[in-house]
Amino acid sequence: MIPVIDGHNDLAWASRKHLGYSTAGLELPIDGLHTSVDRLRSGGVGGQFWSVWVDSVLQGADQVTATLEQIDFVHRFIDTYPEDLRFATTAADTRTAMQDGKVASLIGIEGGAQIGGSLAALRQYARLGARYMTLTWSRTTDWADSATDDSRHGGLSDFGREVVREMNRIGVLLDLAHVSPDTMRDALETSTRPVVVTHSCALALCDHPRNVPDDVIESIGRGGGLVMVAFVPSFVSQSRRDWVLAGAKGEAPEVTVADVADHIEHIRDVAGVQAVGIGADYDGTDAMPSGLEDVAGYPRLLQELRGRGWSESELALLAHENILRTLEASDDDYRAFMAGAAPAPRPTALRPAIDTATLKETP
């Protein structure tokens, strides 16, 4: 079985909702969750980026606190199932874990608002193991435009570009899921390292604002990055998207494994087989395509692509080699940062997020 490294799974937040952050019982299926250890095994999952996401109802310091709670869950989850999971931060860690029969477990921050405007918070997340950060979630931040909110910056602000430079310096990958096309283009122009889109689809096949235009797909591939295809039905299927926009009345149009494969092939055709991966978004959405209902379903997708003529080496690129290559391109930066040997940060990366001189002391 070809092992899959998935770019995005929201089990951490789902566990907050369903389990009160407990890790007990996750070795077997739990009602309401797509993810369990046994299904990861059945699905051939060799590695998983566990998303640490925070609902935008939280703001400022509350987002930072909730992000730390999410990271704490991921570490406790790994510690609860040491025979099955292993913490990883680099491509080498991930390969070793997979060779040892473990699910390599990496961390990604799903939303730039979660740093609370502080690059020091970003650095601390990296020290705790985060290897990517999504520049926005569904709301435009003070420094970057979201795909699903009003534009305020025309892409990235000056501080947004500073965030990108600091992410490059410390080896945290840019994730362009959720951001507007202008933010994508600004980030690609600013970044000196390959970028990822951890859970989106192709805009040309489904007109959803969360999907990626062909010119951006091509630029990402040319720069050594990749687009990891989500399984979210309204990203995958135009008929499903239209049904949602019409009020989601009546029976939902079926979305299938073949529909997901169409997006994978489109990205391959635009940017090459080296530019596509898988980022399903399990436990981040309610419905999933038929045949891909939970994390045990990846072999069905790979079999669909075999039937379309994909070779085993091409499937390995899609399933894990592409993301390992892109991660590895920033691994030396991350290692240097963790060793205290990275180049000095720009002075603008050290400014405090809160100026105490502007605050009044409470009597």
Side-chain angles (χ1 to χ4, degrees):
M1 184 183 296
I2 294 175
V4 169
I5 300 175
D6 183 287
H8 194 89
N9 182 303
D10 279 303
L11 178 64
W13 189 267
S15 78
R16 173 185 171 123
K17 290 174 57 180
H18 293 273
L19 306 175
Y21 274 141
S22 173
T23 62
L26 282 167
E27 69 275 12
L28 297 173
I30 292 175
D31 286 346
L33 297 181
H34 297 140
T35 307
S36 57
V37 173
D38 66 328
R39 289 183 293 190
L40 290 169
R41 293 300 202 182
S42 295
V45 178
Q48 180 66 65
F49 281 89
W50 301 106
S51 167
V52 294
W53 170 79
V54 172
D55 194 312
S56 58
V57 70
L58 300 173
Q59 297 290 318
D62 289 341
Q63 285 213 11
V64 176
T65 299
T67 301
L68 293 173
E69 291 173 348
Q70 294 270 290
I71 292 173
D72 173 71
F73 168 81
V74 173
H75 284 282
R76 287 187 297 104
F77 179 45
I78 297 165
D79 291 344
T80 302
Y81 302 99
E83 297 302 312
D84 298 287
L85 309 177
R86 182 181 293 169
F87 181 59
T89 58
T90 65
D93 289 346
T94 303
R95 289 187 189 280
T96 299
M98 291 166 63
Q99 289 165 3
D100 291 345
K102 313 290 186 182
V103 179
S105 294
L106 304 101
I107 295 173
I109 308 293
E110 191 185 5
Q114 291 173 232
I115 66 172
S118 171
L119 293 178
L122 168 66
R123 291 188 285 271
Q124 288 302 99
Y125 294 157
R127 291 183 178 103
L128 293 172
R131 284 305 312 274
Y132 74 66
M133 184 173 76
T134 319
L135 298 187
T136 73
W137 184 56
S138 64
R139 298 289 178 265
T140 290
T141 70
D142 290 339
W143 48 271
D145 289 335
S146 170
T148 50
D149 198 4
D150 294 336
S151 172
R152 287 163 42 198
H153 314 289
L156 288 174
S157 71
D158 289 343
F159 180 72
R161 291 180 175 84
E162 195 67 51
V163 173
V164 169
R165 295 184 188 102
E166 185 67 355
M167 291 173 69
N168 285 168
R169 186 185 76 87
I170 67 176
V172 175
L173 276 66
L174 277 69
D175 174 20
L176 303 186
H178 282 287
V179 307
S180 73
D182 285 339
T183 301
M184 293 176 182
R185 295 177 185 113
D186 281 355
L188 285 163
E189 181 181 287
T190 305
S191 180
T192 59
R193 296 291 184 269
V195 309
V196 293
V197 181
T198 61
H199 58 303
S200 296
C201 292
L203 185 67
L205 298 189
C206 180
D207 187 18
H208 193 293
R210 278 281 283 101
N211 288 342
V212 188
D214 279 358
D215 71 292
V216 175
I217 293 172
E218 193 277 332
S219 294
I220 289 170
R222 188 171 63 249
L226 72 158
V227 178
M228 307 182 83
V229 171
F231 298 174
V232 180
S234 59
F235 298 177
V236 172
S237 164
Q238 188 64 53
S239 62
R240 186 65 163 255
R241 167 70 172 159
D242 293 342
W243 175 79
V244 171
L245 290 175
K249 297 175 182 177
E251 186 175 352
E254 185 180 19
V255 182
T256 67
V257 175
D259 294 319
V260 175
D262 288 345
H263 283 266
I264 290 171
E265 293 204 306
H266 180 83
I267 294 166
R268 178 202 60 183
D269 293 345
V270 169
V273 71
Q274 80 287 346
V276 64
I278 298 170
D281 203 10
Y282 282 118
D283 285 310
T285 189
D286 292 334
M288 280 290 180
S290 300
L292 298 171
E293 290 86 357
D294 57 49
V295 297
Y298 298 102
R300 299 184 192 102
L301 176 60
L302 298 183
Q303 189 59 34
E304 169 71 22
L305 292 166
R306 281 191 189 92
R308 298 181 181 208
W310 283 55
S311 68
E312 295 303 295
S313 61
E314 289 173 327
L315 290 173
L317 289 171
L318 165 74
H320 59 267
E321 289 295 344
N322 287 339
I323 184 57
L324 286 171
R325 183 201 69 242
T326 299
L327 181 66
E328 193 167 37
S330 290
D331 278 351
D332 284 347
D333 301 308
Y334 181 72
R335 291 191 189 96
F337 170 68
M338 293 296 285
R346 291 157 52 98
T348 47
L350 302 177
R351 290 174 183 163
I354 301 171
D355 182 359
T356 57
T358 66
L359 302 177
K360 294 182 179 180
E361 186 174 347
T362 303

